[in-house]
Amino acid sequence: MHLAVSLNIAATGQDVLDFGQISAFVRNLEAAGVDMVIISDSADAPSTSPFEATTLLAALATMTERIGLVASASTLAHQPYNLARRFASLDIISHGRVGWNATLRQNPREAANFSRPEGFSDDDFRRRAEEYIGIVQGLWRGWDADALLFDKVGGRFHDPDKMHVLDHKGEFFSVRGPLNVARSPQDAPVLVMSSPAEADREFASRVADVVLIGERSLENAKAVCEELRHFARGVGRQPGTPKLLVTAAAGSELGADQLAVLHASSGCDGINLTLPADLRALDDFTGRLLPELAGAGRQHGRLRGHRGLGSAQ
């Protein structure tokens, strides 16, 4: 069973997690064999967040060795070139353990901070997000694995035949490329998508490496899994790609046995457990549920490796 833990560090109450608390929690997850931790820092209501999620990942990468590190980042808050470069850099820092959780829903509070007080129409936002994600993935593939030569004697920095200029001109963006960052150690950072709406599922099944399914009922979760797998087969994805994780809240009533039933009954590839920025919730999870889950994940090497995803397409 693949196992992820999602931690939202945006606090709407009294608790504001400091770096020591967050890093200790992530190291506990790693020691228990959890595959990846997903960090987000947004909330619909006014909130306090101690760190920007991708910056936090850079620090966590230096304090961990095996666990996958995923940050949520909005397509509204970043230009695609800058975001692609940031995650490519993080992947090098972490030796191939980084992923981007691309949210496909706009947050009105966020849009107002980035010169879009009116936001986008749902259709425009969807088309813009799809174009954005395509640009980021294209930039990640801009260098072949052996493109950078660093040949001082011959005076060649790279092999021009192994550098691919994106030269994207679309409805919302114009991006030439390539990135001025070397190719990712795992070919490309892992692309995660959370709770895609019905209109986004075909797109998610086509481009995502991991999809987090947020359906509350077991019946609906199973139906979404089947739909996503149907779409993936239709576009010729490799069997078992994308990986599908059903999301569950890590409350006090949840135990390892219930998670095993949820995993088996939903037809998914694993479980994504969500936690708020609440010290009591973190302590309860670490002291009660995490020991029961120890060894449930599949950690080894790079994030693509222990997710069973193979090379980037």
Side-chain angles (χ1 to χ4, degrees):
M1 178 174 72
H2 296 289
L3 185 60
V5 172
S6 292
L7 175 63
N8 190 344
I9 60 174
T12 55
Q14 297 298 313
D15 285 337
V16 177
L17 304 177
D18 62 32
F19 179 69
Q21 292 163 335
I22 296 172
S23 60
F25 180 68
V26 173
R27 288 197 299 272
N28 284 333
L29 297 181
E30 180 175 60
V34 171
D35 289 314
M36 67 180 181
V37 60
I38 303 167
I39 303 291
S40 60
D41 62 348
S42 64
D44 293 334
S47 63
T48 299
S49 183
F51 307 102
E52 186 275 326
T54 61
T55 307
L56 177 60
L57 249 59
L60 292 174
T62 67
M63 305 188 73
T64 56
E65 297 179 354
R66 300 180 307 279
I67 192 169
L69 302 169
V70 178
S72 299
S74 165
T75 57
L76 279 175
H78 311 269
Q79 284 291 312
Y81 185 92
N82 286 339
L83 184 137
R85 185 171 185 249
R86 183 177 304 176
F87 276 95
S89 298
L90 287 169
D91 209 51
I92 293 170
I93 291 170
S94 67
H95 305 290
R97 293 186 288 125
V98 157
W100 169 34
N101 181 23
T103 54
L104 295 179
R105 296 177 182 175
Q106 59 181 326
N107 183 331
R109 296 180 58 84
E110 186 176 58
N113 287 326
F114 296 95
S115 305
R116 297 294 307 201
E118 73 285 2
F120 293 90
S121 70
D122 290 342
D123 188 57
D124 283 353
F125 182 81
R126 178 173 294 111
R127 297 199 319 277
R128 183 182 181 275
E130 291 185 6
E131 183 180 340
Y132 187 113
I133 291 168
I135 291 168
V136 170
Q137 290 188 310
L139 289 169
W140 284 340
R141 295 190 291 264
W143 296 97
D144 289 349
D146 55 350
L148 300 183
L149 302 175
F150 303 109
D151 181 5
K152 294 182 180 180
V153 176
R156 293 200 306 160
F157 171 73
H158 70 281
D159 182 342
D161 292 334
K162 296 181 180 181
M163 180 194 77
H164 310 290
V165 176
L166 184 64
D167 198 22
H168 173 87
K169 295 180 176 65
E171 181 182 4
F172 297 95
F173 300 101
S174 176
V175 180
R176 182 179 184 275
L179 285 181
N180 56 350
V181 177
R183 186 181 178 91
S184 163
Q186 55 177 339
D187 294 329
V190 167
L191 177 63
V192 180
M193 290 189 185
S194 299
S195 303
E198 185 175 356
D200 298 317
R201 288 172 192 162
E202 189 278 333
F203 176 67
S205 69
R206 178 159 39 92
V207 303
D209 297 306
V210 177
V211 179
L212 307 179
I213 297 171
E215 301 296 325
R216 293 185 180 275
S217 77
L218 182 59
E219 181 179 343
N220 288 345
K222 185 175 181 179
V224 173
C225 281
E226 292 173 351
E227 183 180 19
L228 289 165
R229 290 203 166 104
H230 170 74
F231 283 138
R233 287 193 299 269
V235 296
R237 296 291 300 271
Q238 297 177 7
T241 305
K243 297 296 181 186
L244 308 179
L245 276 62
V246 171
T247 297
S252 59
E253 74 285 352
L254 196 64
D257 290 343
Q258 289 90 336
L259 291 177
V261 171
L262 177 60
H263 172 231
S265 302
S266 65
C268 67
D269 299 298
I271 304 295
N272 171 48
L273 295 169
T274 62
L275 283 164
D278 183 281
L279 290 176
R280 287 173 298 180
L282 266 61
D283 289 344
D284 175 72
F285 179 82
T286 302
R288 180 187 60 83
L289 186 55
L290 192 57
E292 296 181 33
L293 298 173
R298 303 184 179 185
Q299 278 183 16
H300 59 83
R302 294 170 179 162
L303 183 54
R304 284 189 179 277
H306 65 249
R307 301 305 299 178
L309 293 169
S311 60
Q313 294 183 339

